[in-house]
Amino acid sequence: MGNLCECLGNFFGRQKNTNVRVSLPAVCFIWQIAMIVLFGIFIRYDEESDVKKWLELKKSENITSNIENDFYFRYPSFQDVHVMIFVGFGFLMTFLKRYSFSGVGFNFLIAAFGLQWALLMQGWFHSLDPVTATISIGIESLINADFCCAGSLIAMGALLGKVSPVQLMVVTLFGVTLFAVEEYIILDLLHCRDAGGSMVIHAFGGYYGLAISWVLYRPKLHQSKSLNGSVYHSDMFAMIGTLFLWMFWPSFNSAITDHGDGQPRAAINTYLALASSVLTAVAISSVSQKKGKLDMVHIQNATLAGGVAMGTAAEFMITPYGSLIVGFCCGIISTFGYLFVTPFLEKTLKLQDTCGIHNLHAVPGMLGGFVGAIVAAFANEDVYGKEGLKRVFDFEGDFANRTPGTQGGFQAAGTCVAIAFGIVGGGVVGLILRLPIWGDPADDNCFDDDVYWEVPEEEEIIPPVLEYNNHMIHKHQDISESNFSVEQS
Amino acid sequence: MGNLCECLGNFFGRQKNTNVRVSLPAVCFIWQIAMIVLFGIFIRYDEESDVKKWLELKKSENITSNIENDFYFRYPSFQDVHVMIFVGFGFLMTFLKRYSFSGVGFNFLIAAFGLQWALLMQGWFHSLDPVTATISIGIESLINADFCCAGSLIAMGALLGKVSPVQLMVVTLFGVTLFAVEEYIILDLLHCRDAGGSMVIHAFGGYYGLAISWVLYRPKLHQSKSLNGSVYHSDMFAMIGTLFLWMFWPSFNSAITDHGDGQPRAAINTYLALASSVLTAVAISSVSQKKGKLDMVHIQNATLAGGVAMGTAAEFMITPYGSLIVGFCCGIISTFGYLFVTPFLEKTLKLQDTCGIHNLHAVPGMLGGFVGAIVAAFANEDVYGKEGLKRVFDFEGDFANRTPGTQGGFQAAGTCVAIAFGIVGGGVVGLILRLPIWGDPADDNCFDDDVYWEVPEEEEIIPPVLEYNNHMIHKHQDISESNFSVEQS
Amino acid sequence: MGNLCECLGNFFGRQKNTNVRVSLPAVCFIWQIAMIVLFGIFIRYDEESDVKKWLELKKSENITSNIENDFYFRYPSFQDVHVMIFVGFGFLMTFLKRYSFSGVGFNFLIAAFGLQWALLMQGWFHSLDPVTATISIGIESLINADFCCAGSLIAMGALLGKVSPVQLMVVTLFGVTLFAVEEYIILDLLHCRDAGGSMVIHAFGGYYGLAISWVLYRPKLHQSKSLNGSVYHSDMFAMIGTLFLWMFWPSFNSAITDHGDGQPRAAINTYLALASSVLTAVAISSVSQKKGKLDMVHIQNATLAGGVAMGTAAEFMITPYGSLIVGFCCGIISTFGYLFVTPFLEKTLKLQDTCGIHNLHAVPGMLGGFVGAIVAAFANEDVYGKEGLKRVFDFEGDFANRTPGTQGGFQAAGTCVAIAFGIVGGGVVGLILRLPIWGDPADDNCFDDDVYWEVPEEEEIIPPVLEYNNHMIHKHQDISESNFSVEQS
């Protein structure tokens, strides 16, 4: 009976239609046309990238040098962030043996869509001009758009191998939308500081992806087990992603901090936390394995946890050794997550998390939010100076009377908001994705590029001499095939 | 009779001598020595990189801060461009299964030569001091030299796998020379604007390579068909190239634009056009294949078309949605090119274009030239302001009275000049390359690193147990060999 | 008798315990905790990254714009240097067929530790505040810390495949310590200039690694010969390292040079020397091989020699053609080194140098030191101007009366100091590493990731049809295994 069920299951599983020849082009075309129309209505150059406005600004504000243009403060950091989004996230997701095309390719697709949609969503919430009803964009907008995509790319990590590109586009559409709303609540209403996005990017993105993945639970995913792992070279490609993320994380956390002292401080803090994470990730990885052998999964992921956890506090005066401590703890926690929590979640919570974003983004992001709250709460004029306190926490306008203690409370509240948005939003989006129209693969067909890509055929070479050995040839072909399969992996 | 011809053809084909042990070192040594001599005579530091001149300049122009040095405006963009030239172009050309060493290695060689020759050629044409007969170089010169190489690297894309490194050096020597002349005509005489080089780099380089390839047509190239394709990992290496090109294209198009508003505007426009290209390239790729599967060739190439097409207009006030439209159209056109035009050209025009530069550079570059012409023609004081119009189009000196309409006409003329230089120059260079002295491979020997590189041998492992099975061993070895070959591919 | 010895040797060799499950975590944890404590005691933000101090500095020095913060002068170069350290060095060491995980992974580990230790050591020697007994760190400190790591990473190149990660940590601990001392002697006491570290980084690091490797000589290393080589894809990964080193070397040599003219001059000189190296490396590589085939080892390494050799002179007025000449010579010398010197050293001096750092760092570094000495000695007011001479050579304070000639002598002396530190320090560290407690592999177990990493298993696929061929199956499995082995390589 159980056997029969399984057979039926397999049968229906196989029935899944992964043909996206209509849905994928339709989504790409229609959404891109919508972007063009909406950009035409709303998006304009800001005063630092519009020639007329810039010349007027220079006159009106008595700016003597072009170097005062925000471009020169932020463009190098923007490019580092851009590399993290496309090469960092993209290649980090190439670690699966036969899903590298999808890892880097779908990341490319949804980030390219997401950043356009983010410019609109973030513009509407943060910088819509009340008079002209337009949004002015500049370099800082581009950085924020990349940040906004990051939330959805993190979510993709939990879903990797189990969803179709159309589903990923949907994840991104809603992900960016939810991001803009939670960011508005956290940064504008609660007036939190979160320059590197521990809360708004990592905690939100992490729990968003986990919630979706939980709703999309596949009980028979073990049928694709043979492809759910790495091979030697795919691990090397993933290291490209890891290293570019690791190296440029100081730029990520400092990209939109204050001009002047804010940017170097955020960069230094992040640099130190990341260095510290590497050592503890290696230590736990080694101690957990027979003979002390290191596991590439930990090196590829847990070494980055320090950067995630410094997303909020990096711009504060957390002190250099404080940064090291944060990195130290998160390297340990993240590696433990890969060792124990991910398998536990899968078994007990029915939560399948391909890249382990729970350990790299969700938990370190949440911790980062609380670290930020604590550091904010303990801020004082001795360390920051009176003017400095105002400057770092932006205690101005409506918030001029806020104290560091209160700020700490709001920071903690902000973290909870981010998590709540992630879980609830992800749950709803997960339900939408369960509709049988999106072209997702069957349980025994996951983690395979062949479903959505024209994968190059390895050429078939049969040595001529064999052709005269009729008795032998069939078996040889069998063997050859076995080898082909292996190689493709 | 036809059979006899073919035999003779094969015979002579096989006779081809690919030994470059004399010619390649000779070319490298002699040309490098020539560079040293010519640099000794002509090249000097400019006033921003010579300590004496910089201190004098600071005094004479009352410059208060070192940050006003052009280095701080352009160096980050320069490094991005540098990455595009060496990693971007280099790795994009590693997609062939057994030609990756040559793709990245020859790109490295000819770019390293080309940039030196470009500093001289561009110096003679653009910045030769009439008094001292010297050329002053600074960071902007390095960017321009990298740009100038790009023309020849594009041409290399059409020839990939079919020519020797010596031939590529010749392509670069003439390519850089032609580039400097056409650039002088287009930018100085016609006074066109072309910051990102849609015309001078892409249209020229594309048609230059296509013309050479047409002259070097190989009727029996199908004999190397088995190597003219990708394998899984070579496609992944190519994606490294694609992504670095895609991410840094905003730097490419903004690297030499105006300080201040010019650089951010060019970056924003390019960023948007590229994002738009990704979606339409994916859409067309999917709709064109059975079951909607994506083709890596399109993702690797057509996603970049928006950047090429924005090379001229990026610094203009094309508006954000205008940029999206350009990217939208070029993503479609470029993917269609890979699907239909390249095969058509090969069949009917006898034009073999390994990387499909027709679809990525020639056509989008030409379109970019015309887009620039149109945007220039519609420029007006409402949008640019009076001073801004002068600033963007450099209506000064001899050109103070030029109107946007006239400028548009000249831009269009410039595009035609670039194409003409490419086609005629490429034709002549192609004829030179037909001389039988350059060490190019035979038709059945193309696309193979083994011709010009010491390719590492895969070690031969025969399990000891087999040695006792004399009956079996020969066949097993045959199989092993077949597998070795496959793996090497 | 000889046979017996060999047997015993093998026996004891095999006895080597490569289990690092205690030692590696212990070293990582304890040293990281030590870092946190020492950072807590000593390390503070400098006045450009501390909000209170920055606001005070702006007031006291009348700084009108945040762009005057050193961050904006140096951060883009810092990030380029950071990429060189982690991706450049890391991927350059992935060229071995089965040691890529270790190449990139151990590089990551020891650089992450080394940079923390370097901040302390360099701080104590160069910037310890005598009043507060603290060290102030800013962006320039991060660059210097990365530089300081580079010395140990170079040494790792000689040892690659033959030592355990614990040994590499020890190499780094002492390497950074020695570096800080020799740097103090060379830069502070001898008052040498060495912005790109030909002496302090490359000559020191090169001879340090060679001395260690000499002490650790393994007479039976040929037993691992089959793994001491590359395969096609590992060579491609190494090219990623090569190209990022090559492209960003101008940033390396200019990262800590003078604001203003110093940075562009150093960048231009390095860019030219590197271009020149490529051509001569290719020429010698081609002329040395039958049929003129190129060797990837030369392309991966010798093309970089020009950058190493310009480490000292790049910031001087060496002239553009002078830079080309330096690159020209070093490309030749380095390639000759790979062809003849490395094999000679191994045979006669019993010196095993896996990556050939003798040819890429030790010799070009030494030459770079002497080139710097010569260029310094010939400096004069005609070329530099009076003020410029002071500025470039920092003839101020105690050194106000030094002449260029004297400076040249000191530069030469500095080179000798660096080499002496490398050789003596390396000898001592080598002896320490011979203690049998570090978990290094046996002679027949070198160059194999499997010793220290959980290497992904290639899945075993046996086509079902074979299962009915009992007669065949064992042999087939044997073959399959042989193929698995090959593929893994």
Side-chain angles (χ1 to χ4, degrees), chain B residues 158-159 205-217 351 357 421-431:
Chain B
L159 309 172
Y207 286 104
Y208 178 60
L210 291 172
I212 297 174
S213 191
W214 184 74
V215 176
L216 297 182
Y217 179 67
L351 180 49
I357 62 166
F421 258 82
I423 293 175
V424 176
V428 174
V429 172
L431 288 174

Side-chain angles (χ1 to χ4, degrees), chain B residues 52-69:
Chain B
K52 195 176 172 189
K53 293 188 208 162
W54 172 246
L55 294 177
E56 286 168 5
L57 184 77
K58 279 180 77 175
K59 258 180 218 162
S60 70
E61 303 222 345
N62 217 359
I63 295 168
T64 52
S65 167
N66 282 315
I67 199 93
E68 295 288 332
N69 191 302

Side-chain angles (χ1 to χ4, degrees), chain B residues 182-194:
Chain B
E182 56 114 24
E183 187 191 38
Y184 175 71
I185 294 171
I186 294 169
L187 301 192
D188 290 30
L189 301 187
L190 301 180
H191 198 69
C192 296
R193 302 292 292 174
D194 194 19

Side-chain angles (χ1 to χ4, degrees), chain C residues 81 84-85 147 150 195-197 201-202 248-256:
Chain C
V81 171
M84 291 175 73
I85 297 296
F147 279 2
I201 301 170
H202 298 286
F248 288 164
W249 217 294
S251 301
F252 193 92
N253 285 352
S254 69
I256 57 165

Side-chain angles (χ1 to χ4, degrees), chain A residues 68 232 246-248 251 260-261 263 265 269 271 276 287 289 293-294 317 319 382 478-479 486, chain C residues 21 32 45 49-52 54 65 72 75 79 82 86 98 100 146 449-450 452 454 465 476 487:
Chain A
E68 295 288 333
Y232 199 71
W246 194 91
M247 295 180 303
F248 289 162
S251 301
D261 60 293
Q263 290 191 281
R265 188 169 57 253
N269 288 333
Y271 170 95
S276 187
V287 86
Q289 305 278 339
K293 293 187 185 188
L294 299 170
M317 297 282 290
T319 73
D382 276 1
D478 292 338
I479 303 171
V486 173
Chain C
R21 193 176 178 183
Q32 186 59 53
Y45 301 121
S49 49
D50 180 304
V51 64
K52 194 176 171 190
W54 172 245
S65 168
Y72 303 103
Y75 191 71
Q79 275 297 5
H82 217 40
F86 290 90
R98 287 305 278 182
S100 304
D146 274 10
D449 273 340
D450 202 42
Y452 302 113
E454 296 282 329
V465 61
H476 281 133
E487 267 164 72

Side-chain angles (χ1 to χ4, degrees), chain B residues 198-335:
Chain B
S198 281
M199 305 186 261
V200 298
I201 300 171
H202 298 286
F204 164 74
Y207 286 104
Y208 178 60
L210 291 172
I212 297 174
S213 191
W214 184 74
V215 176
L216 297 182
Y217 179 67
R218 288 168 174 271
K220 291 182 198 305
L221 189 61
H222 58 85
Q223 291 173 345
S224 297
K225 199 180 59 177
S226 68
L227 289 179
N228 188 4
S230 65
V231 288
Y232 199 70
H233 283 145
S234 68
D235 267 329
M236 288 304 299
F237 281 113
M239 276 306 287
I240 298 175
T242 298
L243 286 177
F244 276 101
L245 287 171
W246 193 91
M247 295 181 303
F248 288 163
W249 217 294
S251 300
F252 194 92
N253 285 352
S254 70
I256 56 166
T257 53
D258 288 335
H259 290 181
D261 60 294
Q263 291 191 280
R265 188 168 58 251
I268 293 168
N269 288 333
T270 311
Y271 170 94
L272 292 174
L274 286 162
S276 186
S277 279
V278 174
L279 273 90
T280 51
V282 166
I284 301 292
S285 182
S286 174
V287 86
S288 70
Q289 306 276 340
K290 218 173 55 185
K291 298 200 176 174
K293 292 188 183 186
L294 298 170
D295 187 328
M296 258 293 168
V297 171
H298 308 151
I299 308 303
Q300 282 160 6
N301 293 281
T303 52
L304 300 167
V308 174
M310 289 300 289
T312 303
E315 62 176 328
F316 303 157
M317 297 282 289
I318 188 173
T319 73
Y321 76 94
S323 305
L324 288 181
I325 294 172
V326 171
F328 186 93
C329 298
C330 286
I332 296 173
I333 292 167
S334 182
T335 316

Side-chain angles (χ1 to χ4, degrees), chain A residues 45 52 65 72 75 449 476, chain B residues 68 232 251 263 269 382 479:
Chain A
Y45 302 120
K52 195 177 171 188
S65 168
Y72 303 103
Y75 191 70
D449 274 340
H476 280 132
Chain B
E68 295 288 332
Y232 199 70
S251 300
Q263 291 191 280
N269 288 333
D382 276 1
I479 303 169

Side-chain angles (χ1 to χ4, degrees), chain C residues 294-409:
Chain C
L294 297 171
D295 187 328
M296 257 294 167
V297 171
H298 308 150
I299 307 303
Q300 281 160 7
N301 293 282
T303 51
L304 299 167
V308 174
M310 290 300 289
T312 304
E315 62 176 330
F316 303 158
M317 297 282 289
I318 188 174
T319 73
Y321 76 94
S323 305
L324 288 182
I325 293 172
V326 171
F328 187 92
C329 298
C330 286
I332 296 172
I333 292 167
S334 183
T335 316
F336 268 115
Y338 280 96
L339 286 166
F340 304 114
V341 183
T342 298
F344 172 84
L345 289 179
E346 181 152 358
K347 259 194 198 152
T348 62
L349 263 191
K350 309 292 181 199
L351 179 49
Q352 290 152 336
D353 177 7
T354 314
C355 295
I357 62 165
H358 176 269
N359 317 304
L360 176 50
H361 296 282
V363 169
M366 182 183 65
L367 292 176
F370 291 124
V371 167
I374 293 166
V375 176
F378 284 93
N380 59 63
E381 290 190 9
D382 276 1
V383 173
Y384 290 75
K386 193 172 178 175
E387 217 183 324
L389 213 53
K390 262 191 202 171
R391 178 179 165 86
V392 171
F393 295 100
D394 208 12
F395 290 155
E396 288 180 346
D398 291 349
F399 306 96
N401 297 320
R402 198 181 265 189
T403 62
T406 328
Q407 179 69 25

